[in-house]
Amino acid sequence: MNLSYYPGCSLESSAREYNLSALSVASALGLSLTEIEDWICCGATSAHSTNQLLAYALPAANIALAQQAGRDLVVPCASCYNRLKKTDHVLRNDPARRRQLEEVVNFTFTGRIGVMSLLEAFTVRIGAEEISRRVVRPLEGLRLACYYGCLLVRPHHVTGFDNPENPRSLDALMAGTGARPLSWSYKTECCGANLGLTVGDAVRQMVSRLLEMAEEAGAQAIVTACPLCQMNLEVRRPNNRNGIPAFYFTELIGLALGLKESGSWFARHIVDPLPLLRSLSLAS
Amino acid sequence: MFNSQSFIEEVKSRSGQPIELCFQCQKCASGCYMARFTDHAPNQILRYIQLGLKEKALRSSMIWLCSSCEICGSRCPNGIKMFDVMDALKKIAISNNIVAEKKIRLFNDIFLDTVRSKGRIHEALMMAEYKLRTGDLFSDLDLGLKLFLKRKLPLIGKKVKDRKYLDVIFKRCFDMERKAFAKYQVRLDGGKLN
Ligand code: SF4
Ligand code: SF4
């Protein structure tokens, strides 16, 4: 199956292991992801805090590129996904805004391609059953807190994906790898998003509460589908960056599929996940 | 003083939210994690808007510390998306030059300048510029070094090819949005600016 791919800026730097693992795992599972050429930054929080039209125009320019490529657009970063999906929603449902955006970006919206998160693509286009069929190294004994954060599931009238208060899709994929997803009540709480640099203390408190709750539920690791969440969970934690590691879901699927390159993803983590994986005989 | 009616109208028009429906149930505030770090909770901000207390709403740190988590909007019984209201207030605060959290605004400006000139964000350069311009050089130094050593902060970023087109998009957006809301820009004596 062929889909277009919008990595976003984080996946080119701080979340490189998310990009590498997403591409490896997708190709191992027969999902071909082609990066759209010359994509531009979605504008993120800075755009929607400053100029509303720009907050739609930057994603719309990327939707225009994807439209030319003619395939549905997959977005691994939860934050970029949220901006692109909101813009797609506005283009479909708000004719006045659509005309304005068509003028600014200089394109004609056809509505023929859809926008989805990588989590949704894995859930809907591959599915947990297929993953579990392909597992060569079941992640048995690994207890996980699946952490969705904000932007993958909210606002629900736009994302239309999973249950906004108690999402299950990531839990299902992780169960497919043989790991044990736990129930905990902080699945969709906020990690502090991009406020880490500007109001670090607030974010540190949010992150330490998330880690505490995950550990209290018995988790040995947290798994996410968002570069902002993963980064905050690793670097905005108190106690000198010890404690439970935070994975991208694609890394754990790759590990379960026995992909050799998984070691190079884990080497990029700030909180070393290898001691945990070794203790479960999942790494050497 | 500010014209309170035009303020309410501007918030409604920018946010698209039914401000008048709020009945102060505080569901938004009870789910809002950032509220405890700020001066006013989301429901209070809404009240200030209803009462036309423009300065009180605009001077609040809440509107800047909102992390856009959208918990408020998903729980409000009246379908008010506070997050969109916070965004509207930030833009009005900028156009009135009343910005409570200058560091956050500076971060946003540096971010958008980078997008405009390069097309993509280059995290290392952006962090460095932010640090230089806030004078807060050392708080995240060990973090930056760690990221760099893990090859997570490449020093050379990618640029997109068609940057002229990008500049046109920025220019059009700023021109069109300024024009669309110019009618709300009132002078301190209550007269219109244009
Ligand atoms: S949840 Fe809605 S109605 Fe209740 S206080 Fe907040 S904005 Fe008002
Ligand atoms: S979107 Fe903003 S105001 Fe609403 S709950 Fe989240 S941080 Fe609070």
Side-chain angles (χ1 to χ4, degrees):
Chain A
M1 194 177 317
N2 289 324
L3 297 166
S4 285
Y5 184 66
Y6 175 92
C9 305
S10 303
L11 275 80
E12 287 193 333
S13 51
S14 59
R16 285 263 288 276
E17 64 270 38
Y18 189 18
N19 200 24
L20 297 170
S21 57
L23 293 171
S24 289
V25 172
S27 117
L29 292 170
L31 199 66
S32 142
L33 301 177
T34 311
E35 184 167 328
I36 52 173
E37 219 174 295
D38 239 13
W39 56 268
I40 56 176
C41 170
C42 71
T45 304
S46 297
H48 72 72
S49 301
T50 309
N51 183 294
Q52 198 55 44
L53 188 53
L54 187 68
Y56 291 128
L58 295 172
N62 292 299
I63 289 175
L65 292 173
Q67 209 175 259
Q68 270 170 22
R71 293 177 293 261
D72 285 345
L73 183 60
V74 176
V75 191
C77 167
S79 177
C80 302
Y81 159 71
N82 193 276
R83 298 314 314 165
L84 283 152
K85 189 75 182 174
K86 268 193 175 150
T87 303
D88 181 69
H89 185 80
V90 159
L91 286 165
R92 285 176 199 279
N93 299 295
D94 182 343
R97 195 56 117 177
R98 190 193 72 226
R99 280 191 293 278
Q100 208 181 19
L101 287 168
E102 288 180 333
E103 183 193 330
V104 169
V105 174
N106 198 10
F107 84 125
T108 308
F109 180 67
T110 63
R112 279 198 210 107
I113 61 140
V115 174
M116 71 185 99
S117 67
L118 188 67
L119 177 63
E120 184 175 354
F122 271 55
T123 301
V124 178
R125 307 278 166 112
I126 300 172
E129 273 174 36
E130 172 65 11
I131 289 172
S132 96
R133 255 197 301 279
R134 304 285 300 276
V135 164
V136 298
R137 186 194 237 173
L139 307 186
E140 259 158 34
L142 177 59
R143 296 190 306 273
L144 293 172
C146 295
Y147 177 51
Y148 299 75
C150 311
L151 301 168
L152 282 170
V153 288
R154 287 192 292 266
H156 193 246
H157 73 282
V158 171
T159 65
F161 174 64
D162 218 332
N163 178 322
E165 292 283 343
N166 185 19
R168 301 273 320 141
S169 53
L170 184 53
D171 294 68
L173 293 182
M174 289 301 109
T177 67
R180 209 173 106 212
L182 303 164
S183 71
W184 68 312
S185 48
Y186 282 66
K187 278 183 168 179
T188 61
E189 293 287 313
C190 180
C191 72
N194 77 336
L195 294 170
L197 202 59
T198 45
V199 279
D201 280 342
V203 176
R204 256 184 293 279
Q205 287 184 47
M206 296 164 90
V207 165
S208 55
R209 195 180 58 138
L210 281 166
L211 290 168
E212 271 165 34
M213 296 315 290
E215 284 184 69
E216 208 176 289
Q220 294 160 306
I222 296 194
V223 56
T224 79
C226 172
L228 278 174
C229 296
Q230 200 275 350
M231 168 104 159
N232 279 342
L233 284 169
E234 281 208 324
V235 307
R236 303 282 168 198
R237 60 173 69 189
N239 66 32
N240 268 334
R241 300 170 186 135
N242 293 318
I244 66 173
F247 290 103
Y248 291 106
F249 75 108
T250 44
E251 293 179 307
L252 292 179
I253 297 176
L255 181 65
L257 296 181
L259 301 184
K260 294 205 177 50
E261 54 274 36
S262 60
S264 69
W265 312 329
F266 302 137
R268 291 176 176 274
H269 283 230
I270 304 286
V271 177
D272 186 5
L274 286 174
L276 167 68
L277 297 178
R278 283 196 196 108
S279 76
L280 296 165
S281 311
L282 293 170
S284 45
Chain B
M1 270 323 294
F2 293 122
N3 174 335
S4 61
Q5 197 52 40
S6 96
F7 173 54
I8 301 169
E9 293 300 321
E10 181 169 7
V11 177
K12 283 181 66 170
S13 150
R14 283 187 187 262
S15 69
Q17 298 307 307
I19 303 292
E20 64 284 354
L21 293 185
C22 170
F23 48 38
Q24 290 296 316
C25 72
Q26 302 191 22
K27 268 197 154 184
C28 53
S30 62
C32 175
Y33 192 76
M34 290 317 281
R36 76 197 64 184
F37 300 102
T38 65
D39 45 3
H40 304 295
N43 64 300
Q44 290 176 303
I45 301 283
L46 229 136
R47 198 79 187 119
Y48 298 146
I49 302 168
Q50 287 176 333
L51 295 173
L53 299 173
K54 179 171 181 172
E55 284 209 50
K56 228 165 153 114
L58 294 187
R59 287 191 194 283
S60 169
S61 61
M62 179 72 233
I63 65 177
W64 293 95
L65 292 187
C66 165
S67 68
S68 317
C69 76
E70 306 205 26
I71 291 226
C72 51
S74 73
R75 298 191 180 158
C76 173
N78 294 315
I80 300 170
K81 306 208 167 39
M82 256 329 270
F83 143 84
D84 284 329
V85 176
M86 300 294 185
D87 261 1
L89 292 172
K90 275 179 248 173
K91 290 163 195 144
I92 301 173
I94 293 171
S95 70
N96 284 278
N97 226 342
I98 308 177
V99 174
E101 294 289 333
K102 299 211 164 44
K103 277 163 104 184
I104 296 179
R105 163 134 204 238
L106 176 66
F107 174 85
N108 290 340
D109 286 349
I110 294 174
F111 190 103
L112 291 180
D113 283 350
T114 312
V115 178
R116 186 171 189 158
S117 60
K118 305 213 165 55
R120 291 184 194 171
I121 285 300
H122 181 254
E123 285 171 323
L125 287 183
M126 199 189 64
M127 266 168 80
E129 186 173 355
Y130 173 78
K131 292 273 152 200
L132 282 173
R133 287 175 60 181
T134 50
D136 172 23
L137 286 178
F138 300 108
S139 66
D140 279 325
L141 205 60
D142 64 324
L143 164 62
L145 191 62
K146 277 210 159 157
L147 292 175
F148 178 69
L149 292 176
K150 292 280 179 184
R151 290 181 294 160
K152 282 172 174 254
L153 281 183
L155 291 180
I156 300 168
K158 289 191 186 158
K159 287 183 189 171
V160 303
K161 285 183 225 111
D162 197 355
R163 298 202 292 281
K164 249 200 210 115
Y165 163 68
L166 202 58
D167 198 61
V168 170
I169 292 183
F170 269 77
K171 200 170 169 319
R172 284 182 183 155
C173 289
F174 281 99
D175 285 352
M176 284 165 83
E177 195 147 300
R178 197 184 47 244
K179 279 195 198 118
F181 297 103
K183 60 175 185 242
Y184 298 112
Q185 287 286 319
V186 287
R187 280 201 302 258
L188 290 182
D189 60 10
K192 298 265 182 207
L193 276 177
N194 44 352

